[in-house]
Amino acid sequence: MSTALWVAIALAIIVILGTLRLVTPGSTRPLHRTALIALQALAALLLYFTLLPPQRSVDAGQLTVLTGNTALAGSTPPSAALIALPEAPTTPGATRAPDLATALRQHPGNTALVLVGDGLAARDRDTALPARTTLQAAPAPTGWVALQPPATTALGALFTVSARANGVANARAELLDPAGVVVDRAPLDAQGRVRLQGTARAAGRSEFTLRLLDAQQHAVDTVPVPLQTLAAPAPRLLVIAGAPGPELKYLRRWATDTGLEVQAQSSAGGGVMLGDAPVALTAARLAATDVLVLDERSLAALGAAQRSVVAQALRAGLGVVVRTTGPLNDSTRQALRSWGLPAGGGTRAVPLVLAADPEAALLQARRGPQRPASERTAYTDEADTASHGAAPPALERFEVNLPGSDALLHDAKGAAIGGWRSVGRGRIALLPVTDSYRLVLSGRDDRHAELWSGVLAQVARTLPGAPAVRLPTTPWSGERVTLCDVPDTTRVRDPAGHTVALQVDPATGAQRCAGYWPQQPGWHQLQRGENAQSFYVFDPDSAQPLHRQQLRDANAQRLSETRTATATATDQTPGPRWPWLLAFIAVAGLLWYLERKRANA
């Protein structure tokens, strides 16, 4: 119950007890007794309003707080108190405050808050805000405002960088390798988005650069793109085909040339198997395999026990790719559905046109040296250029509907080809391309390798040493970083070599999150025993538009969590107590006089 109710109950009990004392027969004259009872009730009422005076409406005080880029937000609104946070520029008449919480404590009478500029820094976003908090925002930044760096990448694999820019018309994006060589470029779409690709050619940690160019090819903004490349063991590949064919032949040749541990076999009918020694699909064999490649015929030939073993291995981390050599039948679709990949259609073949090659210079920069320098001659370089300069042929694919899946490939128009889904710790994929071998026959073995490398990279078992601790996408120096799934005794080493032990917050429960405050940008390393995991910390000064946009987004979310401001600029506050106190004293004095008069009578 509320305090007001408790006070009312206590005073009511006192009045009732006093009344019972006065109503005793013969205690006093009736008129005198009535006056005493009425004065007791009136005194109790006046005491109640003395302790809890009625609320009254008053003008709400407003506190104006200046944040970063205040000058871009227009004129500062009038306010009785003007506060400048550390990131705000020097402003005449503004009082400096180390943080928002200090400013609110120093001005307790203000119930309306106006933020001017980009908004609150990470330091202040946990501070409780008044109900009437508004933001007079600066214009959106010009440059890169969103970045999705690549995940940990295997050596030699393609990686993708996604980004979004704002405020630049007819813009183009370029991806530069650590040596400053452009490896990919593309125009931005209508929403300012772009996807660029590069090749991880060296194990370790490196920094690519994403550059934004305007219509006159002037650099508008650049951001670093951190890349961590693992020299992981070669994936172990098991290929089972329902019949021999060129698709299997060239897939096996590519896997062998790439250095994969591959075992392939196909059925020639009548129980005759071609290729490597026959393989039994047992739990132990699948546990020693990273990717299992089947076609629709070999999938349909699996017995119930074999499908169950594959399903268990899939949930345990195995990657499964089902490629099509012909239309999908009901048995194949049912098997895919039982493994967690519902598929519809797959009976109609249509042409597949792959995305065009990048410019010749970009293609060569992405590939890097194709041969050792000792083996390269003018003739071999010319042969490589002529072979890889041919346009890739149109392929054949089946139209398949894979609801809820991620795309395996994209065609020239950006449409999804095939798809994959996670099942437990593993992944299952369907590749509806029947004749990727034609890329090799037309001299485009590089595109054939790119196709299969991309497919297997998306479904293979998790790379050894892949990230275990969950990290934010773009952590910033000078701001708190939240790390989750943190094991005990984990330490962080910064670029200068200083180490800090992470303390898991017990309130985060099973998520096991810890806070870390990086003081300098660059590569940091999580260490636990012999295990290490690296993450990159961005510098707000070298990526100002990106940092400003994330600041704006975080403030918009924070303000949406605050209660909606009232329509009027008034607030409720307790009224003055002194009039009620004077009235109570007067009534209590009169009551005391009548009580003494009754006692002397």
Side-chain angles (χ1 to χ4, degrees):
M1 291 190 298
S2 64
T3 302
L5 184 58
W6 280 115
V7 172
I9 292 174
L11 293 175
I13 292 174
I14 294 173
V15 171
I16 291 172
L17 294 177
T19 302
L20 292 176
R21 179 178 62 86
L22 293 173
V23 299
T24 304
S27 59
T28 185
R29 295 189 302 274
L31 182 59
H32 195 189
R33 183 168 60 248
T34 302
L36 291 174
I37 294 174
L39 288 174
Q40 284 185 151
L42 181 58
L45 182 63
L46 294 172
L47 179 58
Y48 176 85
F49 287 123
T50 300
L51 299 175
L52 301 170
Q55 300 286 313
R56 65 170 182 173
S57 296
V58 297
D59 292 336
Q62 176 177 297
L63 180 65
T64 299
V65 176
L66 306 181
T67 63
N69 289 293
T70 298
L72 302 177
S75 59
T76 303
S79 174
L82 185 62
I83 302 297
L85 294 179
E87 57 273 10
T90 301
T91 303
T95 303
R96 284 286 177 181
D99 51 54
L100 179 63
T102 300
L104 293 176
R105 286 195 301 269
Q106 292 174 346
H107 301 81
N110 297 282
T111 57
L113 177 64
V114 177
L115 304 174
V116 182
D118 285 336
L120 299 174
R123 172 198 64 239
D124 296 318
R125 285 198 291 270
D126 290 337
T127 303
L129 301 178
R132 288 188 296 278
T133 300
T134 57
L135 174 63
Q136 181 178 317
T142 298
W144 294 116
V145 294
L147 174 68
Q148 182 62 51
T152 302
T153 307
L155 181 61
L158 284 175
F159 64 86
T160 300
V161 180
S162 300
R164 181 171 62 88
N166 178 70
V168 183
N170 301 319
R172 294 177 62 86
E174 292 183 340
L175 181 64
L176 286 69
D177 67 10
V181 178
V182 178
V183 296
D184 199 5
R185 64 166 59 98
L188 276 60
D189 63 15
Q191 289 74 40
R193 302 182 184 276
V194 70
R195 294 175 74 251
L196 301 177
Q197 290 186 323
T199 303
R201 296 201 303 266
R205 300 172 298 187
S206 57
E207 292 181 30
F208 284 65
T209 301
L210 186 61
R211 184 163 62 189
L212 179 64
L213 304 176
D214 61 15
Q216 289 74 38
Q217 300 301 303
H218 297 150
V220 177
D221 189 23
T222 60
V223 292
V225 179
L227 176 68
Q228 184 174 7
T229 305
L230 298 180
R236 299 160 295 181
L237 185 63
L238 175 60
V239 184
I240 302 178
E247 187 76 352
L248 174 62
K249 171 185 175 180
Y250 288 103
L251 171 58
R252 179 178 180 179
R253 177 180 297 178
W254 165 78
T256 302
D257 293 345
T258 306
L260 306 185
E261 296 182 17
V262 59
Q263 187 167 12
Q265 64 182 39
S266 61
S267 173
V272 178
M273 302 298 293
L274 303 179
D276 298 322
V279 175
L281 292 183
T282 62
R285 182 65 181 86
L286 294 179
T289 301
D290 295 317
V291 183
L292 171 65
V293 179
L294 305 169
D295 59 17
E296 80 282 354
R297 297 181 185 180
S298 59
L299 174 57
L302 296 180
Q306 291 176 313
R307 292 185 183 183
S308 177
V309 171
V310 173
Q312 293 177 4
L314 180 62
R315 289 190 292 270
L318 175 68
V320 178
V321 177
V322 177
R323 62 183 180 88
T324 61
T325 61
L328 297 181
N329 54 33
D330 292 339
S331 176
T332 303
R333 285 191 288 265
Q334 182 179 359
L336 289 171
R337 187 179 301 107
S338 66
W339 285 350
L341 184 64
T347 59
R348 179 173 177 266
V350 296
L352 168 61
V353 179
L354 297 177
D357 292 323
E359 302 170 19
L362 300 183
L363 192 61
Q364 181 60 37
R366 182 184 298 181
R367 293 196 197 106
Q370 301 299 301
R371 302 170 184 266
S374 59
E375 301 178 10
R376 295 177 61 188
T377 65
Y379 174 78
T380 58
D381 287 347
E382 182 181 356
D384 283 344
T385 301
S387 173
H388 292 159
L395 307 179
E396 180 187 68
R397 70 176 179 90
F398 281 88
E399 290 185 325
V400 182
N401 181 26
L402 301 171
S405 65
D406 294 324
L408 268 181
L409 307 170
H410 292 86
D411 64 11
K413 296 182 179 179
I417 306 300
W420 64 269
R421 292 185 66 178
S422 296
V423 179
R425 290 187 294 169
R427 292 176 176 180
I428 180 171
L430 176 63
L431 178 65
V433 180
T434 64
D435 54 355
S436 67
Y437 69 90
R438 295 183 60 200
L439 292 168
V440 182
L441 297 181
S442 65
R444 296 310 306 269
D445 54 304
D446 59 324
R447 295 299 297 267
H448 179 267
E450 181 180 307
L451 185 152
W452 279 102
S453 175
V455 168
L456 298 188
Q458 294 182 80
V459 299
R461 288 185 189 272
T462 304
L463 291 171
V469 175
R470 284 188 285 135
L471 304 166
T473 303
T474 52
W476 299 95
S477 64
E479 296 184 4
R480 182 181 62 184
V481 177
T482 300
L483 313 173
C484 294
D485 294 336
V486 176
D488 293 331
T489 69
T490 300
R491 302 178 67 84
V492 181
R493 186 166 67 90
D494 65 16
H498 304 120
T499 59
V500 176
L502 294 180
Q503 300 295 327
V504 176
D505 184 358
T508 59
Q511 295 186 8
R512 296 186 59 82
C513 296
Y516 172 61
W517 283 262
Q519 298 303 312
Q520 54 184 305
W523 286 100
H524 292 59
Q525 193 172 57
L526 292 164
Q527 297 176 326
R528 181 175 180 265
E530 297 182 355
N531 298 323
Q533 175 184 346
S534 299
F535 65 97
Y536 188 85
V537 175
F538 289 78
D539 183 3
D541 294 332
S542 63
Q544 291 186 13
L546 180 62
H547 184 256
R548 283 189 59 201
Q549 185 61 41
Q550 292 191 5
L551 186 68
R552 290 163 58 90
D553 294 342
N555 275 269
Q557 180 179 359
R558 179 67 181 88
L559 293 180
S560 68
E561 298 170 355
T562 306
R563 290 179 298 158
T564 304
T566 56
T568 60
T570 60
D571 196 11
Q572 298 294 316
T573 186
R577 289 181 171 85
W578 65 267
W580 304 100
L581 178 61
L582 292 179
F584 170 74
I585 293 174
V587 172
L590 179 59
L591 185 61
W592 173 80
Y593 171 77
L594 293 179
E595 285 282 357
R596 286 184 58 85
K597 184 176 180 180
R598 183 177 68 88
N600 295 332

